[in-house]
Amino acid sequence: MADRTRRRERPMKRAFFKPSASDSMRTHSSSGPEKPSNPSATRSNFDAEEGNEEFTPIFGTCLLMCPVKERERRERLRDLAIFERLNGDPAQSSPSLAVKKFCRTISRKDLDPSDVRPAPVLEDTLNHILKLLHSSDHSFETIHAFIFDRTRSIRQDLSMQNAVNDQVIDMYQRMVKFHIISSHYLHECSETSYAVSMIRLNQEQLIKSLITLFNLYDIVRATSSIRKDEPEFFSFFLLLQLGSDPHNTQEPLSLWLRRIPYQILKSREMQFARKLLRDYRTGNYKQFIRSAEEEASFLQYCIIEPYIDEVRVLALSCICYGGYKLQPYPLLHLSKLLIMKEDDVESLCNDCDIELTSGENGKGVLSSHKVVKKCPESSQKYYSMHSERIERLCSLALQLL
Amino acid sequence: MAAYLSMGEAHWRITEYLNRFADAVSYQDGKSLGRLLTISSDSPVLLSLADALNTFQDSNRVIRQSDKYSQYEDILVPIFRALQSYCLKNLAESYIAFEKASNAFIQEFRNWDSAWALEALYVLTYEIRILAERADVELASMGKSPEKLKGAGSFLMKVFGVLAVKGPKRVGALYVTCQLFKTYFKLGTVHLCRSVIRSIETAKIFDFEEFPERDKVTYMYYTGRLEVYNENLQAADQKLSYALAHCHANKEENIRMILKFLIPVKLSIGIFPKAILLEKFHLDEYSDIVLALKRGDLHLLRQALQEHDDRFLRSGVYLVLEKLELQVYRRLVKKIYIIQKQKDPNKAHQIKLDVIVKALKWLQFNMDVDEVECIMSILIYRNLMKGYFAHKNKVVVLSKQDPFPKLSTRPVS
């Protein structure tokens, strides 16, 4: 890799700074007195995730995607992922294929700078592994498992070095996007046991990465204006709160909103997310589904997807509960309201044990005044939106990474 | 800096302070002792002492000169340093020294019988928080990481532990709890309040009624706010109402702070504050909201929320207020029902969805028939209205008996 030799010439330290920064590691400086303080965004612990709390930052010196020692060890133990094998040989890899694995237990004394990859190397690594998403030779589960683990290792290396700059932020943004898109595809293949267990883990890492990203934004915000991507990522977090129980969260949503810079709250993406949240909490199922269809970006849609079905079930519940018993609610109209294919509406009704009747105007939902709940076996499967716009967004998905 | 101070005068001021300190302890005069510790208050006594310390330079020697006060050396040496640093505007240094003094003070406090020193301890805990806050501002402005307030929080927890014991000292625990609340709220680490709340509310050594009234009001105010943030509106109502009821009538600023959170809670159960109340306590950000609720005017509600968006978000009541939307719709339907009842009591309970669409349009809010039907179905489903809706006939039929049940803060499924 020609790039790497060039980089070796540059002093390690400088690789982490924006040109305008002073010649020392970036530290947190506060925003003006009007904003509530956010001391959690200090340099020493910007990483909410891997428990790398009290390390003094180190400078990584490993210039390969995988440290040589690790590669050789895993070749011996035949512990190579399919993407790391040279010509399919399970005991042979190469510097351009092997990628450092995530290590769950790292103690401070075991930390060797030659095992840690500096930010430019990590960027190359990220590029390399994300390309795999475009490969059609393997199932999504296989690809996802590999990228999931290796991105976790990238984040681990980054947090150990406490690097904070545009390049690092960009990497985190891409990793967040990876988790969001994965969530969409994992639900599509939800029949496999891999997907079922992975959905929750993927969600956990999504949230962890997002929180770390917010800390990075905070640190950088002191010396530069709000980046143009920030509002969208904040909208992701807000949309992730759709399903959460307000009585039972670590930090209540009201308090989180308090800390967000006003400029971001007023952005288009956040206004959209806030509107959706309002309609969700009010129970305005018509507006919720309609707004999601008309305005959500693909990534926002991936996050909203689970709640769309939830809101559809709410709609059915309301109709069952309060609809006029002698007039079954026409399925055709329902399909337009819920933006679903008629067949899908029927399936959903079956999932929820809702009775349908057939009349001269087509099928209808019978209002029986009973409680409606979606059957748990089918709860991982989502009904897509019967919308040209959404279908078009989904087809362009992978270009986002 | 003061005018020229002679060494003699400086020495005298220092010994004067030391004597007062020692006397306060031997006479068990908590209040006087407290007055000697209020570094951030800019009291004349302490300012003149600061001048003396700057002039004299070797105050430590003075402290060690007499047994009367040298026994408190561990407290006094850092207190002097804290005071000097504070007056020289080295706030971070001041905090560090003050924390050291406070730790030493706690050691002594543990050994003192009875609760005589609580007044002084209160001053200490207050000062530690204030100094930490100011130190953090200074650190942040220098590009350094502001972690003094976090440290103050840990110290306050330690103090809490010292007070959470059998005996007369335990009545001080609520004051310290309130200082902790203020610290955690400022830091944004509100979830840390949970453990101390649990101690206060479940530990056997504490009897809530025994705590001083003033502390109980503050405690209920903060815990009430937490309930608002967690949207436990019933609990929020209880706590904030308690705070209001027990708050001294002339503490207008405190009443205002309580009302700021209590009003949204009360609005959620359909209890409206009187206009004169809002006026008296300068809470006019709520006037349009109350008006919107009374009129059933959704446009006005959304506008009012928009206008005071920032304010409501900062205080954390925005989400509670947003949820009032359903009540606004309900109110509108109720008004239509009342009007129809006047025209024709027999048909009043049948309301055409088109009529609602028209009414909303008249209030400058555009909504199509499908969305109106959706809202009606939600109102019925959530028991805000009783009746049913007929899709084909585009009508909502209200129950003849009690179509609008009374609102409550109990969570709706």
Side-chain angles (χ1 to χ4, degrees), chain B residues 198-338:
Chain B
R198 215 173 338 170
S199 298
I200 294 282
E201 294 186 359
T202 61
K204 288 205 175 68
I205 43 165
F206 293 133
D207 177 3
F208 195 73
E209 293 314 311
E210 282 181 344
F211 290 122
E213 187 94 322
R214 161 201 75 176
D215 296 338
K216 284 192 281 196
V217 169
T218 311
Y219 178 83
M220 285 300 195
Y221 165 73
Y222 278 104
T223 50
R225 269 177 79 174
L226 284 176
E227 301 288 7
V228 172
Y229 296 148
N230 287 318
E231 301 188 58
N232 296 328
L233 297 183
Q234 195 171 22
D237 190 9
Q238 267 168 9
K239 296 188 179 179
L240 292 170
S241 298
Y242 179 100
L244 188 65
H246 290 83
C247 184
H248 217 283
N250 61 7
K251 300 269 191 202
E252 286 200 3
E253 182 55 32
N254 289 352
I255 295 180
R256 182 178 175 277
M257 280 163 49
I258 298 170
L259 284 174
K260 199 160 77 152
F261 294 94
L262 186 56
I263 289 175
V265 173
K266 289 291 194 192
L267 288 176
S268 305
I269 41 175
I271 295 179
F272 303 153
K274 293 204 168 61
I276 38 170
L277 187 75
L278 295 180
E279 219 180 279
K280 180 172 181 196
F281 292 102
H282 310 292
L283 290 164
D284 36 69
E285 63 261 35
Y286 290 119
S287 349
D288 274 349
I289 297 187
V290 174
L291 194 57
L293 278 168
K294 284 188 178 160
R295 274 199 217 157
D297 188 345
L298 191 76
H299 177 83
L300 185 60
L301 176 71
R302 292 236 177 125
Q303 199 176 56
L305 284 176
Q306 184 90 301
E307 194 184 328
H308 300 287
D309 194 23
D310 194 18
R311 210 191 296 199
F312 291 143
L313 283 166
R314 296 273 165 246
S315 58
V317 298
Y318 189 91
L319 294 177
V320 173
L321 291 172
E322 218 182 29
K323 249 185 162 162
L324 295 172
E325 267 199 19
L326 281 179
Q327 270 170 256
V328 174
Y329 289 125
R330 181 187 118 118
R331 181 65 171 178
L332 184 64
V333 177
K334 190 169 183 182
K335 281 193 132 175
I336 296 174
Y337 169 69
I338 290 171

Side-chain angles (χ1 to χ4, degrees), chain A residues 27 247 258 266 285 322 329, chain B residues 143 232 309 314 373 377 389:
Chain A
T27 54
H247 311 291
R258 238 172 140 208
K266 280 309 200 190
Y285 47 81
Y329 200 98
Chain B
N232 296 328
D309 194 23
R314 296 273 165 246
E373 180 189 83
S377 74
F389 67 94

Side-chain angles (χ1 to χ4, degrees), chain B residues 144-158:
Chain B
K144 298 218 188 101
S145 128
E147 6 101 309
K148 298 302 179 209
L149 193 56
K150 204 167 161 193
S154 305
F155 177 79
L156 288 170
M157 276 307 277
K158 211 194 312 190

Side-chain angles (χ1 to χ4, degrees), chain B residues 22-40:
Chain B
D23 287 343
V25 176
S26 30
Y27 294 126
Q28 299 196 336
D29 183 353
K31 233 188 173 104
S32 299
L33 187 58
R35 262 183 248 126
L36 297 172
L37 303 169
T38 60
I39 295 203
S40 70

